[in-house]
């Protein structure tokens, strides 16, 4: 499939409505995230959901693993609505979801979507009964379901069946191929069973999550070729820090460029006490730097070299990037299209003026060992030269003025 720069060339999938969001069809790729609080702690979970939503998460998943967690869901939904945060909540169920949903109808009603794992809903006859209970509950309350297969929790009976079939084949495949086939088979067979029970295709999202970049690409290419269900993308355990960001970007960028994927989550392991919203920002930046969506003005900045040994331009770039992200909470409500604005903070005269002219607003510092004297370019034209100790504040004022003058106010 050729590279694409518009959603017109995306793989055509069935659209799935999740309250205010739509996954698949011709809708933009949806960003989602997941809390790591104890859901039974309604106050902590409500606060984290709200923070994730403010950062730009369009769906937020919460763990529902106990009766206490299930009973907390109505409280969490009420807390969020009082805050004016109407982000759809997705319930993540493993092992006992059939029981929790049946015993807690308010939880079942107020969740916007269910996530179930066909590998751990039970075994044998119980598996079929418990899976059916989950799907019947979704049908009763008209909820969409993500059938999320994970290679760490595949249905052992199905895996044995596929391994036996492969062993008897005249052209047996290697173990990785068998594992990928088991993931896809589990997802497709479970989706078919859900449809038989009564869940429409427009209420089914599939995922087949693994931890390896090449495995994820191979699985989703095959899965996308074999169905038109909406697909959720993400490495199941991306890891910490730069490793997690790089691995997620490497895998998802390939698939998104090929038109595969309707919603994404970046499963970063946060540092102890780290900010959970980082996974939302990474997801947004993947989509925005690929030109697929726009969320917040991006700041181009040079990496620095011997001409820029001073930290002044680095501090200015960090200050401006943080400023526009913070301001977007207000700008998004007031102005149309401001997320498409481009900024440049450059460190010296080699590429600084040229790069600054390419941005809507750019500033070019002179380099090391000189007094800060920085020309500012607005839409390619030099408008002012900033000097002295107040350059950052004056540049922010120029950005504010540009937003107020260039972007139409929302009615």
């Amino acid at each position: 499939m050729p590279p694409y720069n518009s959603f017109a060339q995306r793989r055509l999938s069935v659209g799935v409505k999740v309250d205010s969001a739509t996954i698949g069809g011709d809708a933009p790729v949806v960003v989602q995230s997941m809390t790591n609080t104890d859901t039974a702690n309604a106050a902590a979970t409500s606060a984290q959901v709200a923070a994730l939503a403010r950062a730009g998460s369009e769906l937020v998943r919460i763990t529902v693993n106990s009766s206490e967690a299930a009973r907390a869901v109505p409280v969490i939904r009420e807390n969020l609505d009082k805050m004016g945060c109407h982000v759809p909540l997705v319930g993540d169920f493993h092992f006992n979801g059939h029981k929790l949903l049946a015993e807690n109808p308010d939880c079942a009603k107020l969740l916007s979507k269910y996530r179930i794992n066909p590998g751990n809903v039970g075994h044998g006859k119980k598996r079929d009964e418990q899976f059916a209970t989950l799907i019947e509950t979704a049908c009763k309350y008209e909820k969409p379901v993500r059938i999320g297969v994970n290679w760490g929790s595949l249905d052992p009976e199905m895996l044995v069946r596929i391994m036996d079939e492969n062993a008897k084949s005249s052209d047996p495949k290697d173990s990785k191929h068998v594992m990928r086939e088991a993931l896809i088979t589990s997802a497709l067979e479970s989706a078919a069973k859900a449809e038989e029970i009564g869940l429409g295709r427009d209420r089914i999202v599939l995922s087949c999550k693994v931890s390896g970049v090449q495995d994820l690409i191979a699985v989703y290419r095959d899965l996308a070729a074999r169905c038109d269900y909406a697909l959720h993308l993400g490495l199941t355990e991306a890891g910490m820090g730069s490793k997690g960001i790089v691995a997620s970007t490497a895998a998802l960028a390939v698939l998104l460029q090929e038109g595969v994927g309707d919603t994404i989550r970046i499963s970063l392991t946060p540092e102890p006490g780290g900010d959970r919203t980082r996974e939302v920002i990474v997801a947004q930046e993947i989509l925005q730097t690929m030109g697929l969506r726009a969320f917040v003005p991006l700041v181009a900045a040079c990496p620095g070299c011997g001409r820029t040994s001073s930290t002044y331009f680095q501090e200015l770039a960090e200050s401006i990037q943080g400023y526009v992200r913070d301001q977007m909470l207000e700008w998004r409500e007031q102005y149309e299209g401001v997320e498409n604005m481009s900024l440049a903070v450059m460190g010296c005269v080699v590429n600084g003026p040229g790069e600054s002219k390419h941005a809507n607003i750019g500033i070019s510092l002179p380099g090391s060992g000189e007094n800060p004297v920085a020309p500012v370019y607005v839409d390619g034209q030099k408008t002012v030269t900033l000097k002295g100790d107040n350059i950052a504040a004056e540049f922010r004022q120029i950005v504010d003025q540009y937003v107020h003058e260039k972007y139409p106010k929302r009615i």
Side-chain angles (χ1 to χ4, degrees), residues 63-357:
T63 297
V64 186
N65 60 337
S66 66
S67 296
E68 292 79 11
R71 288 196 295 269
V73 168
V75 181
I76 294 166
R77 183 70 274 170
E78 183 180 7
N79 289 345
L80 293 168
D81 290 342
K82 286 179 179 177
M83 296 179 205
C85 177
H86 305 297
V87 66
L89 290 177
V90 181
D92 192 67
F93 295 97
H94 297 274
F95 307 110
N96 59 353
H98 60 290
K99 187 178 295 186
L100 293 175
L101 286 170
E103 294 175 353
N104 298 275
D106 286 344
C107 169
K109 291 175 190 175
L110 291 170
L111 289 171
S112 300
K113 179 168 163 273
Y114 309 153
R115 187 269 174 151
I116 61 176
N117 183 339
N120 59 32
V121 296
H123 301 289
K125 186 179 179 182
K126 278 191 174 181
R127 177 192 183 281
D128 294 340
E129 291 173 354
Q130 290 168 184
F131 181 83
T133 298
L134 286 162
I135 299 303
E136 287 165 358
T137 304
C139 293
K140 178 180 179 179
Y141 296 112
E142 300 183 334
K143 303 296 182 180
V145 174
R146 170 156 73 94
I147 297 173
V149 184
N150 191 306
W151 73 346
S153 52
L154 274 168
D155 176 7
E157 295 171 8
M158 186 211 60
L159 181 57
V160 168
R161 187 190 85 208
I162 291 175
M163 290 174 65
D164 287 345
E165 290 171 356
N166 183 66
K168 295 174 183 176
S169 170
S170 59
D171 181 26
K173 307 299 182 184
D174 62 26
S175 59
K176 278 200 169 186
H177 180 94
V178 174
M179 180 67 77
R180 292 197 297 265
E181 182 60 28
L183 284 162
I184 294 168
T185 299
S186 177
L188 294 179
E189 288 185 354
S190 298
K193 192 168 293 185
E195 286 198 64
E196 288 175 14
I197 294 168
L199 193 66
R201 297 176 76 79
D202 62 344
R203 289 209 175 99
I204 297 174
V205 180
L206 297 186
S207 66
C208 290
K209 287 196 171 184
V210 298
S211 298
V213 170
Q214 295 298 342
D215 291 315
L216 191 84
I217 293 169
V219 165
Y220 274 92
R221 279 175 172 165
D222 199 355
L223 179 62
R226 291 161 64 173
C227 73
D228 63 355
Y229 295 109
L231 300 181
H232 168 80
L233 302 185
L235 290 171
T236 188
E237 295 104 7
M240 294 187 73
S242 60
K243 184 270 176 183
I245 294 171
V246 170
S248 295
T249 305
L252 270 58
V254 170
L255 292 165
L256 291 167
Q257 189 70 15
E258 294 178 355
V260 176
D262 301 293
T263 177
I264 65 173
R265 188 222 168 173
I266 308 302
S267 300
L268 295 180
T269 304
E271 297 173 357
D275 191 345
R276 190 70 168 179
T277 62
R278 192 180 188 193
E279 67 176 50
V280 179
I281 294 170
V282 172
Q284 290 179 329
E285 289 179 345
I286 290 173
L287 294 173
Q288 186 154 354
T289 55
M290 291 183 70
L292 303 181
R293 289 192 67 181
F295 300 95
V296 63
L298 293 183
V299 178
C302 65
C305 66
R307 294 184 178 88
T308 58
S309 55
S310 165
T311 62
Y312 190 89
F313 94 94
Q314 298 165 343
E315 293 162 359
L316 180 60
E318 182 179 39
S319 168
I320 295 301
Q321 181 72 78
Y323 179 72
V324 297
R325 184 167 286 280
D326 290 342
Q327 287 297 107
M328 273 304 293
L329 294 172
E330 177 182 332
W331 289 344
R332 190 180 291 115
E333 298 296 323
Q334 295 185 17
Y335 302 99
E336 293 182 13
V338 68
E339 65 273 8
N340 296 300
M341 180 172 62
S342 61
L343 305 173
V345 178
M346 305 303 294
C348 82
V349 297
V350 175
N351 292 319
E355 290 284 354
S356 296
K357 290 176 184 177

Side-chain angles (χ1 to χ4, degrees), residues 361 376 378 384 386 394-403:
I361 310 172
V376 175
V378 176
V384 67
L386 303 181
E394 291 175 4
F395 188 69
R396 288 196 295 269
Q397 290 175 359
I398 292 169
V399 172
D400 281 335
Q401 183 179 355
Y402 186 90
V403 170

